[in-house]
């Protein structure tokens, strides 16, 4: 929406001239919609204004909207002043966005005229008398304390100042002269700000000046309405004002779009750092509220920031000047960019806003910006700011901003030559304000050179430096030097911003998913289709860009940009897209990047000089000159005026244009109209048929009426309809977001099961969840009456908490329906976990890391989503009817019963997938855990006499060894968030008579999220039993609880999110009863290695636990154990089992003996074999001598893990296969005795060479190799 283009059929510079002010026939009418306080004095109140006249009456392609124009010409209505107050004329611009997205611009000059109507003056006098009576009565009614405080606030000795104040803020019909505001306005199809400002100021000067203008005012107005054309693209135009020529220029088809507002002011008002932050918020489509006493500042900042978005366009509500009658629109639960006039310099505290969680508040006058929490920074922000600073300094503008840029700018100009290196290759221009001649004229070195030249007889007449090139340029340039500098500065700044997007999206076209159907079918199915491969695009970007880009590609402006790219297959390209694509092509030609390698290296803009020269050339050489104003066929007596009063214009001469003087309009008019139609067509502002209009508008926004409030109708019915559309839009947005989250997450889980390719990353998932948090905040802010803090959702939760605690008592919160009771085969019960909304709130409130209400609300949403109770708990919140009625207006979303039910249904669908969005984000918080050890009572003692201990490890850390209380099987502990739990080490000291212990499993539960992990064991702990292990490392799996709620909301078991064991399942090894055959074992090895390879091909932050892939039920250790067990002679020798570790120890003994006898040469390749055998012996001996009480199977597991870490497995396997010990301990059919199988195994294991395998500390504790 930031691309200005004329309406179809528009070829005139201006469509309307408007005069607005007081209607003497209707008198003083209070402007009730403005929301002013009638306790104020009458001079401070606002009254209804009216459009007094507009010429012509109507333009076919741009119908005149009288209410909207009146409201935006005088947003606060009429203003009255006396002769004691400042009455300087003020200029401001506005725009009206039509329902189809096209724009009309207005430029207003507001001035004050003396009130000559006696009835108006008398009415003002009467209002003051009534006001004084009310003030006196309120004073007498106040307490003596109030009187004392009032008296103390006035300096008793300064009675004259009190009199002055009363005089300033009062009106006496016999003493004072009353003035009222009036405005003149031009309505134009394109934003030629400077030209319109000059024309209106000259017009006003003609009225206020003592000398009469050369021609009647009607001549100048008729001229600009009918005889001044729009300049063609890439051309400049000169036309005549009352006192001098006026210049305007229009960019060419390959340049950045027209922008005529002073961008310099935007940087001076905000400062560079603030502006870049605001720019980032706009790109991420947050709610933006601009705040200033000056309407023109609001408009300049709004238009400036949207112009910098090229090639993207703001797609949501855009009202740079919000009339007082539309203040209710600030409650809109959608992204918006609005400007609000402040009544006083520092009245921010009086402004109550329903939605602040995602609001960027910009106080322009006070150089202040209040940013939302936790939003990503713009890529290469520091280098970006540095490059912009260089451009600003060249023009003498301090990057930190300056409301009154004067002395500081002058000082900075003197530093430009020292601070900046003018690299011609980068196209950087030196400051036009630095006079090089003046700098060098007094230089001593130059003077000595000139003197030396004279002494040697060299003529120096021609050595003078051509001083004032600037002045030569000024004489040729048709505008002032200041205007030229502003133009050049603006285009250079815009080019720097545009270069950022050209670099970031240089290869975007490769990720656009081209449709296979025709345009009508594509438009019909637009909502169900993915047009951009987001996951592949993000994987191709430099990592520092990802936090910003993952959010940005989810915005409406990016979706519209991609839509325009696809629509260009059937229609002419959107103008912005055409310019952007051409720049990318040009960049690729110059850079020749083959192959394309994405880096985060910052590239400066190199076309600054060319961009500035293009504008300068148009302003130096004027392409077109419009017809000069001339006398019109006016009635006798018309054209006279009284100084200080804008005259009543002769309507008949301004109603229509000339009939025979339209050569400029006819010349090429057909081609121009065709171009305009095509341009509008490509912008989707005038689509061919109703179907295209319907689907494209729906695809781009929540609805046409939400993009721009209609100013012409503010009846209660229309306001109610607008709010209803908000409710429908929020529900639709909820459906789209939850569907996207569900589909993407299920698609990712399908990948884990081996289907297709990943289409969601952890970063993207986090972005989607953050987007859901934003949506919930906007829903809870809609129609809000009472709020505490910035977060509407958290405010509601706190109110609910207070109500519940009063009703039931603080300590008697009931256990929710989602409480869990877990029971093992042994009958031991894991105590139930309290699950309730209040309980979860308390967990969040205890998190000292979170400092704000917005942060607490987001943490609560993430926790509820992870626990799969978000829909359930929001239902409790939303159906507390008494609280809802107390907090919300009738039209609020939360009071629409049917929509609430649908909303909860959409959220309920998220229970079908597993999220760890709380655990993975709040990594530093302290979390309570509960652990239960479950023995097998039938075969062993339930309680051991020894001293048991456990150590719990997760993806984020471990607890270290914790002693389990004696004679207890349960313990609780608190530690920093461990993340997803991966392993538990369990052991004891083998003391006492009943030391041997058969453990079924260990259960560990996160007491905040309720996630319960089962760590299966099924082995003995004790000397002289099983493999003699006193400690074991157990690998866990997350348990899935089936209760009534989950059965209703979850997917069927075969479609459920897989557990860890299923995720790593090797189908061929699924049977525990029968021994696997050779083929199944080889397949298992391949799949375990493949899982490790896939693990390392994921982004580092999304890889999960490698321990599970190594030591899990179907991990690498398990697969290699199957290889070693195949054909193994495991008969009992003297009633003792023979383990694989026994074979390894015998092999090590053989290698050590063979090395001593130096007989290895006969075995394999001498030296190489010696190094391999030494490494095997070293590792086995280190494990045997380690101060740990692990059994033989545990030692084998440790050896495999260490061999994988140090890439030695592929060397050890052939060594063991050739060892003579193998013939005594393995059958002839064993896999290790088959050369082909061993070679295959070596090749498979060699694939691990490319990866840096890091083992958990719990695995290698006490091993020093």
């Amino acid at each position: 929406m930031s691309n200005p283009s004329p309406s179809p059929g528009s070829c005139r510079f201006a469509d309307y001239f408007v005069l607005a002010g007081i209607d003497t026939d209707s008198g003083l009418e209070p402007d009730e919609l403005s929301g002013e306080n009638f306790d104020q004095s009458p001079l401070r109140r606002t009254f209804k204004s009216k459009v007094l006249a507009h010429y012509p009456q109507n333009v076919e392609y741009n119908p005149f909207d009288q209410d909207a124009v009146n409201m935006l010409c005088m947003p606060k209505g009429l203003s009255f002043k006396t002769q004691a107050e400042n009455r300087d004329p003020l200029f401001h611009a506005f725009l009206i966005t039509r329902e189809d997205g096209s724009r009309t611009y207005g430029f207003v000059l507001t001035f004050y005229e003396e009130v000559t109507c006696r009835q108006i003056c008398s009415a003002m006098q009467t209002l003051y008398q009534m006001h004084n009576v009310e003030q006196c009565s309120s004073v007498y009614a106040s307490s003596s304390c109030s009187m004392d405080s009032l008296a103390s606030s006035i300096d008793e000795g300064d009675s004259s100042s009190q009199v002055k104040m009363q005089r300033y803020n009062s009106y006496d019909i016999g003493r004072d002269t009353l003035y009222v505001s009036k405005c003149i306005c031009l309505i134009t199809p394109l934003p030629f700000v400077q030209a319109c400002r000059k024309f209106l100021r000259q017009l006003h000067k003609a009225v206020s000046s003592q000398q009469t203008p050369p021609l009647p005012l009607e001549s100048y107005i008729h001229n600009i309405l009918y005889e001044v054309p729009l300049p063609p693209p890439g051309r400049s135009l000169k036309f005549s004002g009352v006192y001098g020529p006026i210049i305007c220029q229009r960019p060419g088809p390959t340049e950045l779009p027209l922008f005529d507002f002073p961008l310099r002011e935007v940087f001076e008002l905000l400062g560079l750092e603030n502006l870049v932050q605001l720019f980032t918020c706009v790109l991420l489509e947050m709610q933006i509220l601009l705040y200033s006493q000056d309407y023109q500042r609001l408009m300049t900042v709004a238009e400036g920031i949207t112009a910098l978005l090229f090639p993207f366009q703001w797609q949501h509500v855009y009202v740079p000047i919000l009339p007082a009658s539309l203040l209710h629109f600030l409650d809109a639960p959608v992204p918006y960019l609005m400007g609000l006039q402040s009544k006083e310099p520092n009245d921010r505290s009086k402004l109550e806003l329903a939605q602040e969680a995602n609001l960027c508040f910009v106080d322009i006058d006070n150089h202040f910006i209040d940013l939302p929490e936790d939003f990503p920074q713009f890529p290469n922000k520091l280098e970006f700011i540095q490059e912009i600073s260089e451009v600003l300094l060249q023009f003498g503008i301090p990057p930190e901003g300056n409301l009154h840029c004067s002395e500081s700018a002058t000082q900075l100009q003197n530093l430009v030559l020292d601070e900046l290196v003018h690299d011609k290759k980068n196209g950087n221009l030196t400051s036009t304000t630095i006079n090089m001649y003046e700098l060098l004229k007094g230089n001593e070195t130059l003077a000595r050179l000139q003197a030396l030249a004279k002494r040697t007889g060299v003529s120096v007449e021609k050595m003078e430096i051509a001083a004032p090139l600037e002045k030569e340029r000024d004489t040729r340039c048709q505008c002032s030097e200041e205007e030229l500098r502003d133009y050049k500065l603006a285009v250079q700044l815009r080019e720097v911003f545009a270069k950022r997007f050209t670099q970031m999206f240089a290869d975007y076209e490769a990720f656009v998913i081209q449709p296979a159907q025709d345009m009508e079918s594509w438009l019909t199915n637009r909502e169900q289709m993915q047009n951009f491969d987001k996951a592949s695009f993000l994987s191709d970007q430099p990592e520092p860009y990802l936090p910003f880009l993952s959010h940005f590609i989810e915005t409406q402006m990016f979706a519209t940009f991609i839509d325009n790219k696809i629509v260009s297959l059937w229609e002419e390209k959107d103008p912005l897209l055409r310019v952007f694509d051409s720049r990318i092509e040009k960049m690729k030609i110059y850079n020749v990047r083959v192959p394309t390698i994405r880096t985060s290296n910052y590239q400066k803009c190199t076309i600054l000089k060319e961009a500035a020269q293009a504008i300068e050339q148009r302003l130096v050489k004027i392409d077109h000159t419009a017809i000069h104003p001339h006398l019109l066929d006016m009635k006798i007596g018309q054209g006279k005026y009284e100084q200080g009063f804008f005259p009543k214009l002769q309507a008949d001469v301004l109603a229509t244009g000339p009939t025979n003087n339209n050569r400029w309009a006819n010349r090429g008019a057909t081609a121009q109209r065709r171009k305009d139609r095509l341009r509008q067509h490509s912008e989707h502002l005038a689509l061919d048929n109703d179907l295209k209009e319907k689907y494209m508008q729906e695809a781009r926004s929540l609805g046409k009426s939400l993009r721009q409030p209609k100013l012409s109708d503010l009846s209660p019915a229309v306001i109610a309809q607008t709010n209803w559309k908000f409710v429908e839009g929020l529900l639709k947005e909820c459906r789209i977001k939850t569907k996207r989250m569900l589909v993407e997450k299920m698609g990712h889980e399908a990948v884990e099961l081996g289907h297709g390719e990943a289409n969601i990353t952890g970063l993207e998932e986090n972005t989607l969840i953050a987007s859901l948090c934003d949506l919930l905040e906007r829903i809870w802010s809609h129609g809000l009456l009472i709020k505490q803090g910035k977060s509407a959702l958290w405010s509601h939760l706190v109110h609910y908490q207070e109500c519940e605690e009063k009703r039931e008592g603080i300590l008697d919160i009931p256990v929710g329906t989602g409480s869990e009771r877990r029971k093992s085969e042994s009958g031991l019960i894991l105590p139930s976990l309290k699950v309730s909304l209040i309980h979860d709130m308390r967990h969040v409130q205890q998190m000292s890391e979170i400092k704000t209400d917005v942060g607490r609300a987001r943490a609560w949403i993430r926790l509820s989503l992870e626990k799969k109770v978000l829909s359930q708990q929001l239902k409790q919140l939303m159906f507390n009817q008494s609280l809802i009625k107390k907090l919300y207006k009738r039209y609020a979303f939360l009071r629409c019963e049917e929509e609430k039910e649908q909303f909860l249904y959409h959220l309920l669908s998220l229970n079908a997938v597993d999220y760890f969005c709380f655990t993975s984000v709040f990594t530093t918080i302290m979390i309570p855990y509960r652990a239960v050890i479950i023995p097998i009572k039938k075969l062993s003692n339930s309680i051991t006499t020894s001293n048991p201990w456990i150590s719990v490890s997760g993806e984020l850390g471990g607890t270290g060894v914790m002693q389990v209380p004696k004679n207890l099987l349960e313990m609780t502990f608190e530690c920093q968030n461990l993340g997803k739990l991966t392993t538990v080490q369990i052991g004891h000291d083998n003391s006492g008579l009943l030391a041997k212990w058969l453990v079924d499993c260990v259960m560990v539960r996160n007491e905040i999220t309720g996630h319960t992990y089962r760590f299966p064991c099924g082995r003995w702990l004790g000397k002289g039993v099983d493999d003699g292990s006193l400690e074991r490392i157990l690998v866990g799996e997350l348990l899935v609880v089936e209760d009534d709620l989950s059965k209703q909301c979850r997917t069927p078991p075969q479609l459920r999110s897989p557990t860890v064991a299923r995720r790593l399942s090797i189908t061929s090894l699924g049977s525990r009863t029968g021994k696997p055959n050779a083929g199944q074992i080889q397949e298992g090895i391949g799949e375990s290695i493949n899982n490790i390879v896939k693990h390392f091909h994921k982004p580092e932050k999304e890889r999960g636990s490698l321990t599970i892939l190594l030591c899990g039920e179907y991990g690498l250790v398990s697969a290699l154990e199957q290889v070693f067990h195949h054909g193994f002679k495991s008969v009992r020798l003297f009633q003792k089992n023979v383990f694989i570790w026994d074979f390894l120890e015998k092999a090590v003994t053989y290698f050590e003996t063979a090395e001593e006898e130096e007989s290895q040469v006969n075995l394999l390749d001498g030296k190489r074999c010696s190094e391999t055998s030494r490494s095997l012996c070293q590792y086995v001996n280190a494990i045997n001598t380690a101060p740990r009480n692990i059994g033989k199977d545990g030692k084998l597991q440790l050896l495999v893990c260490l061999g994988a870490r140090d890439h030695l497995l592929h060397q050890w396997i052939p060594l063991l296969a050739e060892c003579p010990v193998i013939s005594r301990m393995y059958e002839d059919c064993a896999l290790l005795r088959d050369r082909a199988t061993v070679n295959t195994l070596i090749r498979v294991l060699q694939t691990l060479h490319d990866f840096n395998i890091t083992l958990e500390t719990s695995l290698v504790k006490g091993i020093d190799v």
Side-chain angles (χ1 to χ4, degrees), residues 24 34 43 109 121 408 466 540 559 568 797 836 1031 1080 1104 1178:
T24 54
S34 69
L43 282 179
L109 187 71
C121 296
S408 59
D540 191 51
S568 67
L797 284 166
S836 73
E1031 62 177 88
Q1080 291 173 328
Q1178 178 191 359

Side-chain angles (χ1 to χ4, degrees), residues 47 86 199 221 230 295 368 429 499 708 732 845 847-848 886 1090 1158 1171 1190:
F47 300 88
N86 178 32
F199 180 83
I221 296 170
L230 280 177
Y295 292 127
F368 170 76
L429 295 174
K499 174 65 177 179
Q708 181 74 10
K732 178 180 177 183
Q845 287 166 333
M847 294 167 61
S848 59
K886 175 185 173 183
N1090 191 39
E1158 297 182 354
E1171 291 177 357
I1190 51 178

Side-chain angles (χ1 to χ4, degrees), residues 721-788:
Q721 184 182 8
T722 301
N723 279 300
W724 180 248
K725 286 189 176 294
F726 282 143
V727 171
E728 288 181 328
L730 289 169
L731 187 61
K732 178 180 177 183
E733 192 177 350
C734 179
R735 174 173 58 82
I736 293 172
K737 285 186 186 300
T738 52
K739 180 180 177 182
R740 171 86 191 281
M741 291 173 68
L742 195 63
V743 170
E744 298 284 16
K745 187 71 173 176
M746 282 184 157
H748 187 54
E749 291 171 352
V751 173
E752 297 285 359
L753 290 170
H755 307 293
E757 296 182 357
N759 58 350
I760 187 170
T761 63
L763 187 67
E764 190 175 2
E765 177 182 308
N766 198 44
T767 301
L768 294 176
I769 292 171
S771 178
L772 177 67
C773 294
D774 167 47
L775 172 64
L776 294 180
E777 282 288 0
R778 287 190 280 118
I779 287 175
W780 256 257
S781 69
H782 184 232
L784 187 61
L785 279 170
I786 302 171
K787 187 185 69 164
Q788 300 171 353

Side-chain angles (χ1 to χ4, degrees), residues 389-412:
S389 298
E390 292 177 7
V391 176
L392 291 172
L393 286 170
Q394 288 169 4
F395 287 85
I397 305 222
E400 66 274 12
N402 190 4
L403 293 176
H404 308 287
C405 183
S406 55
E407 293 182 3
S408 59
T410 307
Q411 293 169 1
L412 279 163

Side-chain angles (χ1 to χ4, degrees), residues 846-1006:
Q846 290 168 5
M847 294 167 61
S848 59
E849 295 83 356
I850 305 176
K851 308 296 184 185
T852 65
D853 288 348
V854 175
R856 293 184 187 97
R858 290 174 179 171
W860 181 85
I861 293 168
R862 288 178 175 273
L863 177 58
S864 300
L865 192 60
E866 185 165 327
K867 295 178 70 171
K868 301 182 187 294
V869 293
L870 181 60
S871 178
Q872 173 193 353
Q873 294 193 348
L874 287 180
K875 186 175 183 179
Q876 294 178 36
L877 200 63
M878 296 170 77
F879 284 89
N880 186 328
Q881 298 294 351
S882 59
L883 184 59
I884 289 285
K885 288 179 181 178
K886 175 185 173 183
L887 299 179
Y888 287 90
K889 300 172 186 174
R890 179 64 192 89
Y891 62 77
F893 182 96
L894 297 185
R895 295 187 66 178
C896 300
E897 299 302 320
E898 186 177 339
E899 284 68 26
K900 283 199 299 187
E901 291 286 356
Q902 294 182 51
F903 165 74
L904 292 171
Y905 173 78
H906 292 315
L907 290 182
L908 188 64
S909 66
L910 296 177
N911 289 9
V913 290
D914 298 323
Y915 283 104
F916 290 87
C917 49
F918 180 86
T919 304
S920 60
V921 169
F922 300 102
T923 57
T924 61
I925 63 173
M926 299 300 290
I927 290 183
Y929 292 89
R930 184 182 296 272
V932 176
I933 302 169
I934 302 176
I936 300 178
K937 291 182 179 179
K938 295 177 183 178
L939 302 175
S940 77
N941 307 304
S942 60
I943 300 292
T944 179
T945 57
S946 59
N947 299 303
W949 57 266
I950 64 169
S951 174
V952 183
S953 297
E955 293 179 355
L956 300 177
T959 62
V961 173
M962 300 181 295
Q963 295 295 328
V964 179
K966 203 155 187 175
N967 298 324
L968 290 178
L969 297 174
E970 180 181 334
M971 67 178 293
T972 57
F973 59 92
E974 186 176 74
C975 66
Q976 187 169 304
N977 185 1
L978 300 175
K980 295 180 187 177
L981 302 187
T982 54
T983 62
V984 161
Q985 281 181 276
I986 182 170
H988 62 72
D989 61 2
N990 203 44
S991 62
L993 296 175
L994 301 174
K996 298 175 183 178
W997 201 18
L998 181 58
V999 177
D1000 176 40
C1001 66
V1002 177
M1003 308 274 281
V1004 182
R1005 183 174 67 199
N1006 181 320

Side-chain angles (χ1 to χ4, degrees), residues 3 66 69 100 225 411 518 523 724 836 877 1062 1124 1182 1264:
N3 178 27
Q66 181 160 311
V69 171
D100 61 4
L225 285 177
Q411 293 169 1
D518 58 20
L523 288 170
W724 180 248
S836 73
L877 200 63
R1062 285 187 56 206
F1124 279 103
D1264 185 20

Side-chain angles (χ1 to χ4, degrees), residues 260-274:
D260 205 39
F261 288 85
L263 199 55
R264 167 185 53 80
E265 286 186 18
V266 181
F267 283 83
E268 287 179 349
L269 289 169
L270 298 181
L272 179 52
E273 174 72 24
N274 283 344

